[in-house]
Amino acid sequence: GPDPPRHKVVRGETAYSIARYYNVPVKALAQWNGLPNDLSVRPGQILMIPVASRQQPARTETQTQTTVPGVGSPTPVPPSSTEPLPTSSPPKASAPVDTSSVPDMSKEVTKSSNTAQMSMPVSGSIVRAFKKGSNDGIDISASPGTPVKAAEAGTVLLISQDTDDVSFLALKHANNLVTVYYNVTGLTVKKGASVKRGQTIAKVAPGDPGYLHFEVRKGIESVDPMPYLN
């Protein structure tokens, strides 16, 4: 098969943003590079980008130089290297959309029922729906400063920022489920903390329009959040 391209991780990047930049499934990126369950990567780490091939690519010297990072969020300063950094920075995990050109989906869901498996993290209309391969979650319209609440009881799995310094966090729940809350600020929880359903964990970050990107993942695979919210 074709020789897979390599990507050198820089500070602030995540497995999600790298996979989105190269338009590949994050599950495939994790499998090709042996990433841990929390999908953490470290600055300076060399990742192989999956390519269409039936044969698993051979391991190279570059791969043997990588190590599995620890459990904590990646914070070390990028090591010096003679290799140049990527010429372009990966985009955000999910960029805000222009709501003026988006169909009115306000009636789709604004509040989840008491019997739903998860509750809405914010009250608002859905301005961008889930679409496998292009949008790993839903974008919910919400004014900046709106409290963001945990969709279900769980534990804070990850707190980080993307390459544009936009903060996000992930909560781990029962049944191997993970929820992701992107474009937030004013976090009120720390990594490893236990949270209750409906507990305020952050606020919607400033922006025009204001929005919250919300994902549900089963393991490392993104799934449509709507069945869990209805």
Side-chain angles (χ1 to χ4, degrees):
D3 187 29
R6 266 56 168 188
H7 178 88
K8 184 174 182 179
V9 180
V10 297
R11 187 185 182 97
E13 288 185 321
T14 66
Y16 297 127
S17 65
I18 295 171
R20 190 179 297 274
Y21 178 64
Y22 288 99
N23 195 27
V24 298
V26 68
K27 182 178 181 180
L29 183 69
Q31 291 175 339
W32 275 54
N33 295 277
L35 299 183
N37 290 336
D38 63 358
L39 300 181
S40 59
V41 294
R42 61 178 176 80
Q45 183 175 358
I46 305 298
L47 299 179
M48 287 195 309
I49 305 304
V51 294
S53 173
R54 295 182 180 178
Q55 183 177 5
Q56 186 73 6
R59 297 184 65 82
T60 64
E61 293 182 1
T62 302
Q63 284 180 291
T64 59
Q65 296 172 359
T66 62
T67 58
V68 178
V71 177
S73 300
T75 55
V77 177
S80 60
S81 173
T82 57
E83 297 182 15
L85 295 176
T87 55
S88 61
S89 299
K92 300 178 181 179
S94 177
V97 296
D98 180 6
T99 57
S100 62
S101 61
V102 176
D104 183 12
M105 302 178 65
S106 59
K107 296 182 180 179
E108 180 76 16
V109 61
T110 55
K111 294 182 180 180
S112 51
S113 66
N114 294 331
T115 58
Q117 185 172 347
M118 294 183 180
S119 61
M120 287 286 288
V122 294
S123 295
S125 59
I126 299 175
V127 295
R128 190 181 182 197
F130 172 86
K131 186 177 182 180
K132 193 69 174 179
S134 61
N135 190 34
D136 290 334
I138 57 175
D139 292 351
I140 309 170
S141 176
S143 301
T146 299
V148 177
K149 300 182 179 181
E152 181 57 298
T155 304
V156 181
L157 177 66
L158 176 69
I159 295 177
S160 188
Q161 291 181 326
D162 69 3
T163 53
D164 291 326
D165 296 328
V166 178
S167 297
F168 64 92
L169 74 158
L171 302 182
K172 185 175 183 180
H173 311 283
N175 301 321
N176 201 30
L177 291 176
V178 174
T179 54
V180 181
Y181 310 77
Y182 178 88
N183 194 41
V184 297
T185 188
L187 277 68
T188 60
V189 293
K190 296 182 179 180
K191 188 176 185 298
S194 296
V195 298
K196 299 179 180 179
R197 176 171 176 159
Q199 177 179 335
T200 297
I201 55 178
K203 296 179 180 179
V204 175
D208 185 17
Y211 77 103
L212 173 74
H213 178 76
F214 175 69
E215 297 181 11
V216 175
R217 294 183 173 269
K218 196 169 183 63
I220 61 175
E221 186 74 17
S222 61
V223 296
D224 188 354
M226 298 310 300
Y228 295 90
L229 296 172
N230 289 328

